[in-house]
Amino acid sequence: MQRFSGKSVIITGAGSGLGRAAALQVAKEEGRLTLVDLNETGLKETVEEIQAAAPDAEIQTVTANVADEAQVQNYVAEAVKRFGRIDGFFNNAGIEGKQNPTEDFGSDEFAKVVSVNLNGVFFGLKHVLKVMKEQGSGAVVNTASVGGIRGVGNQSGYAASKHGVVGLTRNSGIEYGQYGVQVNAIAPGAIMTPMVEGSLKQMDPENWEEVGKQFVQPNPMKRFGKPEEVGQLVAFLLSGDAGFINAAVIPIDGGQSYKY
Ligand code: NAD
């Protein structure tokens, strides 16, 4: 008997990085997965990785844009149709956007980043929480960021959207706790995924690996986080082992956000 035996879990942004790592962890613990991403190829790769590690895993994939409410409604309906319920939801898909100081930050870019990172998380909460309330149980993890609890710079869209995710988490957490539903957020620091690689390449396309080494020097642990470390945290928060943690925002950043 594993922590996710018989449980239905939706993961958005499951075609890469943190979503893929969480999917792998939940699948190893016998979760039944609805994996959602805009990128169909990424989803296929995630399924292949899971099947190599957990051949009996029950998985369905839904290609969807989380910024489109009708597509969000559809992935929620697909999860309920296939598995009859939703026990866990990793509301995680997100983009960084093009870095620029505020005066040069593209207004279209701002709208795009907010649309995916904030509207997408809101639509997910809206449609999944309805199901969990009716069940009288469930756990949600939203992906915020250290950029949602601290100023980072050059990221107007990302900062606004991730601070917004923190607000949505606290708001929904206090609303739905009474129905046996937990809503928490994680605030990752720099975790080595394709998104962070892209971010380092924005800083210096030629020497991004060197930039990465410099980048982690201020971190108390002097390294990037690993996607599987985030996958473990997400699995804990979704598993029921974290039953009295609600409306919390949990940094996973080697301690960097606590450093003066
Ligand atoms: P990633 O780029 O590796 O993965 C993100 C996934 O989301 C991709 O598969 C992408 O196709 C998908 N996606 C993007 N827009 C989408 C949309 N509109 N609809 C559906 N799917 C969409 O990035 P990651 O590092 O795994 O990031 C996952 C989440 O973690 C994001 O919300 C990101 O902001 C957050 N985060 C990451 C870090 C980090 O250091 N990696 C730090 C803080 C927060």
Side-chain angles (χ1 to χ4, degrees), residues 21-86:
L24 203 57
Q25 185 59 40
V26 171
K28 284 181 190 161
E29 299 189 50
E30 295 182 356
R32 309 160 97 194
L33 288 163
T34 301
L35 302 181
V36 180
D37 206 290
L38 200 53
N39 179 350
E40 209 176 329
T41 312
L43 280 178
K44 277 192 191 136
E45 286 169 11
T46 300
V47 171
E48 282 166 15
E49 270 193 39
I50 291 174
Q51 284 169 340
D56 296 332
E58 280 186 76
I59 315 164
Q60 69 172 338
T61 59
V62 182
T63 307
N65 178 0
V66 299
D68 179 330
E69 186 170 5
Q71 295 186 41
V72 172
Q73 247 178 313
N74 180 58
Y75 77 63
V76 173
E78 288 294 321
V80 173
K81 191 164 111 194
R82 170 85 183 259
F83 299 121
R85 51 188 297 111
I86 304 167

Side-chain angles (χ1 to χ4, degrees), residues 212-244:
K213 283 181 198 152
Q214 299 301 322
F215 188 83
V216 294
Q217 283 319 302
N219 189 292
M221 302 191 80
K222 310 270 176 220
R223 67 173 176 87
F224 286 98
K226 300 174 195 162
E228 55 270 28
E229 292 172 321
V230 178
Q232 296 274 7
L233 172 62
V234 173
F236 167 67
L237 289 170
L238 294 180
S239 69
D241 280 357
F244 203 49

